[in-house]
Amino acid sequence: MSHNQGAHKSWVSRICYAIGNLGQAAYYNALSTFFVTYYAAQTLFRDYEAEEATAMIGIITALVFIIRIVEIFIDPLLGNLVDNTTSRWGRFKPWQVIGGVGSSILLFAIFTGLFGLVNVNKGVFIVVFIIVFVVLDVLYSLRDISYWGMIPALSSSSQERSVYTALGTFTGSIGYNGVTAIVIPVVGFFSYIVGADRESQAGWTGFGAVIGILGIVTCLAVAFGTREEESVLRDSGDKSSPLQAFQAIGRNDQLLWVSVSYVLYSIANVATTGFMIYLFKFVLRLPDSYSIVGIIAFVVGLIVTPLYPAINRRVPRRYLYLGGMVLMATAYILFILFSKNPTIVFIALVLFYLPATCIQMTAILTITDSVEYGQLKTGKRNEAVTLSVRPMLDKIAGALSNSIVGFVAIAAAMTNDVDPNLLTTANIETFKTAAFYAPLGVIVLAFLVFAFKVSLTEKKHGEIVEILKQNMSRADITEG
């Protein structure tokens, strides 16, 4: 193969990999943020009496929390399944197709109220919802684990991994924040088509269809457009057991510490993001301006993400991560002090979203580099198992934030299109405590954990890779 052909295939692989996270991130935001909005404050239980609706919101919120917490322990097993997969298409691509297509279809189903079952039989709806949500979560995890698990397989170079991660994060930012920007217009458009004068079930069904189709198209791009790299580091054909999957995580201290810091960040980030629509609707009383949240996040991500590799060449990841936490803390202080001032809120939104790329990419790259750290420490290479930790962390964050948003919406009386004029000062303070005060404390804790416990830098990873290559070369000579 000529150099030009190799370079061409490399760029095709990069582009197709990047496309994958466009749909994947859009899916995650639709599920973690707007599914809660759909059932807690807008449409799903609109035909119920007020007390029944509140009870059902509480039941669904509790079920989502329980299901996602239980499934946390399944993710390493799914990573182990991916690591042990042998097929003509590699380890990861089959799960991109199975997980991506299946989860997209089921996401559409839950945005239809399970095709109207919610208004037919409440008991049956709850049972079917549990089954659908469990299967949906498992399939999405398989897609997410196989997606990020591909990075160590695509390249052993920390610099090249940074390129793949930057591209994936870039399109992920577009997908995630794009959903925030389009959700109200899309729901309004499909509602208008059926003659509704406000958000309707048909509007949310249309939204679910858009996200589902995007999810299917983008997972197929990854499956058919990327290629794995053959490397001496990946030559081990050993299969690992489910127990060894948990041991691989438990014995990798750097993986664990960066995970603790990242999950704290994610809980604060996703919870606050989920509360933004309530801030605009009930505190600022500017519901039509909510789309600007997505626009700000989208533009900031569009600018910062492509610059990350260049910035990282001058500033170590460690300082990008910790500096980002400081900016987020500043944003929270502005939200707390000036929550009724639209101008200051918009400034705070910029500070809130500006460091997201640097924080997320640093966490992903540190987790990815911990594959070799764990390989050196334990003698076994676990790509998908190690990378399964990141979606596991997102699942923890999503479960906790969904529950927080759902229950706080009830506690603050911000459900079922309540008139903002009926809200009391106590209602607003309850909202601010959950949306801003508590997340600020969590961000400070995330900062401290990373600052004092995470030591796996780019330089240290490069040294580990060289040691592994030397050890394997010696082993080959000995065996020879």
Side-chain angles (χ1 to χ4, degrees):
M1 180 187 298
S2 70
H3 173 74
N4 288 339
Q5 287 176 319
H8 172 72
K9 286 193 174 182
S10 175
W11 272 106
V12 169
S13 184
R14 289 176 180 178
I15 292 169
C16 289
Y17 183 82
I19 289 172
N21 207 29
L22 181 72
Q24 189 163 290
Y27 182 105
Y28 176 72
N29 196 12
L31 184 64
S32 65
T33 301
F34 296 107
F35 177 62
V36 182
T37 303
Y38 166 61
Y39 77 75
Q42 299 288 339
T43 306
L44 184 59
F45 303 117
R46 182 166 282 167
D47 292 340
Y48 285 41
E49 295 295 329
E51 290 186 5
E52 275 190 319
T54 299
M56 288 295 284
I57 290 169
I59 290 170
I60 295 297
T61 299
L63 285 173
V64 170
F65 175 77
I66 293 168
I67 290 169
R68 299 200 111 184
I69 291 298
V70 169
E71 288 194 355
I72 287 166
F73 301 100
I74 298 176
D75 281 355
L77 302 180
L78 298 179
N80 182 248
L81 173 64
V82 174
D83 269 336
N84 289 337
T85 297
T86 303
S87 78
R88 58 181 295 190
W89 303 283
R91 292 179 187 171
F92 306 100
K93 294 181 180 181
W95 300 113
Q96 278 293 293
V97 176
I98 295 169
V101 174
S103 62
S104 295
I105 292 171
L106 293 181
L107 180 76
F108 169 70
I110 65 172
F111 272 106
T112 67
L114 296 180
F115 302 103
L117 182 62
V118 65
N119 293 320
V120 176
N121 187 308
K122 289 192 286 288
V124 175
F125 170 77
I126 293 296
V127 172
V128 176
F129 175 82
I130 293 171
I131 295 170
V132 169
F133 199 87
V134 167
V135 176
L136 174 153
D137 234 18
V138 168
L139 289 173
Y140 172 73
S141 292
L142 281 167
R143 176 181 182 176
D144 205 18
I145 290 166
S146 61
Y147 181 81
W148 295 109
M150 291 182 81
I151 293 179
L154 294 170
S155 177
S156 61
S157 162
S158 190
Q159 183 178 356
E160 182 66 10
R161 288 177 180 181
S162 181
V163 172
Y164 273 103
T165 306
L167 289 170
T169 306
F170 177 66
T171 54
S173 176
I174 295 173
Y176 187 93
N177 297 315
V179 168
T180 303
I182 70 167
V183 58
I184 289 179
V186 168
V187 172
F189 172 75
F190 284 103
S191 298
Y192 173 78
I193 287 178
V194 298
D197 58 358
R198 59 177 181 169
E199 292 96 337
S200 67
Q201 176 60 62
W204 284 102
T205 298
F207 173 73
V210 169
I211 302 301
I213 292 169
L214 182 64
I216 291 172
V217 171
T218 53
C219 78
L220 295 179
V222 177
F224 291 102
T226 58
R227 64 188 183 97
E228 296 181 25
E229 176 189 81
E230 295 303 321
S231 166
V232 65
L233 299 180
R234 305 185 68 233
D235 282 346
S236 173
D238 294 341
K239 301 291 184 182
S240 57
S241 68
L243 178 60
Q244 289 172 323
F246 287 101
Q247 289 175 338
I249 294 172
R251 295 174 65 185
N252 194 325
D253 59 288
Q254 287 302 289
L255 172 64
L256 291 176
W257 283 121
V258 73
S259 297
V260 170
S261 180
Y262 179 73
V263 77
L264 290 170
Y265 155 78
S266 296
I267 290 169
N269 181 58
V270 178
T272 300
T273 300
F275 279 120
M276 282 301 168
I277 195 166
Y278 297 91
L279 175 67
F280 275 78
K281 187 170 185 178
F282 298 112
V283 181
L284 291 172
R285 302 188 184 186
L286 298 170
D288 293 338
S289 297
Y290 171 69
S291 291
I292 200 158
V293 175
I295 294 170
I296 289 173
F298 174 78
V299 172
V300 168
L302 204 65
I303 294 170
V304 175
T305 307
L307 297 176
Y308 181 87
I311 296 171
N312 187 208
R313 280 196 290 269
R314 293 171 174 79
V315 183
R317 294 176 195 161
R318 177 178 187 80
Y319 300 114
L320 292 176
Y321 189 94
L322 296 175
M325 294 287 179
V326 172
L327 284 181
M328 286 191 71
T330 303
Y332 277 121
I333 292 170
L334 292 178
F335 282 133
I336 291 167
L337 297 177
F338 304 101
S339 59
K340 293 186 177 181
N341 185 318
T343 302
I344 302 297
V345 165
F346 292 147
I347 293 171
L349 285 169
V350 173
L351 294 177
F352 180 80
Y353 285 110
L354 189 63
T357 294
C358 293
I359 292 171
Q360 292 165 8
M361 286 191 60
T362 297
I364 292 168
L365 287 167
T366 307
I367 289 171
T368 303
D369 287 352
S370 73
V371 169
E372 284 78 27
Y373 177 86
Q375 186 177 3
L376 180 64
K377 191 171 184 179
T378 67
K380 290 189 71 68
R381 184 177 180 86
N382 296 277
E383 293 174 338
V385 166
T386 301
L387 272 296
S388 73
V389 170
R390 195 206 56 77
M392 183 168 66
L393 300 177
D394 284 337
K395 191 169 290 185
I396 295 171
L400 291 174
S401 62
N402 283 359
S403 302
I404 291 166
V405 173
F407 286 124
V408 171
I410 295 172
M414 295 179 175
T415 60
N416 289 330
D417 293 331
V418 66
D419 184 348
N421 293 312
L422 298 178
L423 297 178
T424 65
T425 301
N427 292 145
I428 300 299
E429 286 305 309
T430 297
F431 164 78
K432 287 176 66 175
T433 298
F436 306 130
Y437 284 103
L440 172 59
V442 173
I443 285 296
V444 171
L445 188 56
F447 176 96
L448 294 174
V449 170
F450 196 92
F452 291 102
K453 289 297 184 179
V454 178
S455 61
L456 183 56
T457 61
E458 300 94 307
K459 181 180 178 182
K460 186 171 182 178
H461 173 259
E463 294 169 353
I464 290 170
V465 169
E466 288 305 312
I467 293 171
L468 285 171
K469 288 180 178 178
Q470 291 172 12
N471 290 347
M472 289 182 174
S473 296
R474 293 193 193 101
D476 289 341
I477 292 170
T478 303
E479 290 174 5

